[in-house]
Amino acid sequence: GYRAYGLDGQTRVLIEGINTTEGTSGAGFYFDYASLEEAFLGTSGQTAEMPNPGVQSQFIARSGGNQFAGEYHLDWYNNALQGSNIPDEYTAPTAFNNSPIREHSNEIDRYYDTDINVGGPVKRDKIWWFGTYRTQFNAIQQPNFQFDKTFDTKLWNAVGKGTYQINQKHKLVGYYQWGQKIQANRLPQATYTYLDEGPTNRQDSGSWVYKAEWNGTLSDKLYVEA
């Protein structure tokens, strides 16, 4: 979520012109940031697309061009790259009324973020396409867990965009993005101590946005987008 001028209830999050805002004052799902060409964040003096005061964010996805191109990206991390900072007295059996914090229970166990994107022409100067696939994963030791398991989150996205320049005055754009979030042991109560996996929930939720768009220059004074 975003906040500006003390307000966080009038946020508007747009991707490719599609309003994805949900009740949390943030986006309704996790975007594939590797697929984005432009990002804009505005707090005042908005365009007509922003009907109320508040923060507006605009994201525009990449489009293919006349040259075929691709990109691969990888971030990777594991526990060997992290130190431990829980004091010994917190992990002693008698700590916190005989409810000690587990050793190493606040550390990241492993993490990766990888994506591949490609794009190019179907017909030069006429039809282009672009697509990405992204996967993110992290496994974090959870202090609330009294059983030996990490708190895992997996996110993946698939994005496709096509552009058809009909002529100098008219253009068609098609766009689709799917996002999936999986958490095997989501916590219904953040302050609760979990002795086993039983009280946790499995979250496996998908979200998507899509559009078909027409841009037309009807005259020297009139431009239409639908």
Side-chain angles (χ1 to χ4, degrees):
Y2 301 112
R3 176 182 284 268
Y5 305 107
L7 299 174
D8 62 2
Q10 299 186 128
T11 302
R12 190 172 172 91
V13 185
L14 305 176
I15 183 166
E16 285 287 317
I18 307 162
N19 187 1
T20 69
T21 316
E22 67 170 6
T24 61
S25 294
F29 70 108
Y30 298 88
F31 294 163
D32 177 5
Y33 294 102
S35 70
L36 300 180
E37 179 71 26
E38 300 178 24
F40 166 80
L41 192 63
T43 58
S44 63
Q46 311 284 11
T47 66
E49 291 178 300
M50 186 61 170
N52 48 260
V55 178
Q56 177 183 236
S57 54
Q58 278 266 31
F59 301 98
I60 304 298
R62 299 184 188 184
S63 301
N66 281 334
Q67 183 176 354
F68 181 83
E71 180 181 68
Y72 178 75
H73 158 259
L74 172 67
D75 287 340
W76 177 86
Y77 179 95
N78 71 5
N79 188 256
L81 301 172
Q82 182 173 352
S84 179
N85 67 350
I86 299 179
D88 292 340
E89 57 267 28
Y90 289 5
T91 61
T94 56
F96 304 107
N97 296 322
N98 300 319
S99 298
I101 295 176
R102 291 187 300 112
E103 191 175 5
H104 307 294
S105 63
N106 67 334
E107 299 174 13
I108 296 176
D109 188 69
R110 60 195 185 280
Y111 163 84
Y112 66 83
D113 180 0
T114 181
D115 68 81
I116 183 169
N117 62 68
V118 291
V122 175
K123 184 177 181 180
R124 292 178 62 87
D125 301 321
K126 199 75 174 175
I127 306 174
W128 307 273
W129 65 277
F130 177 81
T132 71
Y133 180 80
R134 183 176 191 179
T135 302
Q136 303 174 70
F137 175 82
N138 64 58
I140 302 173
Q141 294 291 343
Q142 173 56 259
N144 298 32
F145 287 176
Q146 296 300 309
F147 55 95
D148 186 23
K149 192 167 185 180
T150 56
F151 183 79
D152 298 350
T153 302
K154 182 178 181 180
L155 306 170
W156 65 265
N157 297 76
V159 181
K161 184 177 181 180
T163 306
Y164 175 30
Q165 189 73 49
I166 302 173
N167 53 42
Q168 193 173 10
K169 294 185 176 182
H170 298 279
K171 181 170 68 174
L172 298 177
V173 179
Y175 174 82
Y176 183 91
Q177 178 171 183
W178 176 280
Q180 191 82 17
K181 179 181 181 182
I182 301 172
Q183 284 185 338
N185 301 105
R186 189 175 177 88
L187 308 182
Q189 297 179 356
T191 59
Y192 184 76
T193 299
Y194 296 83
L195 301 178
D196 56 57
E197 295 183 65
T200 65
N201 299 326
R202 176 178 173 82
Q203 180 185 13
D204 189 350
S205 59
S207 303
W208 58 94
V209 291
Y210 55 88
K211 74 170 184 181
E213 178 182 316
W214 164 63
N215 295 334
T217 304
L218 303 186
S219 72
D220 292 342
K221 297 182 178 181
L222 182 61
Y223 172 80
V224 177
E225 180 180 275

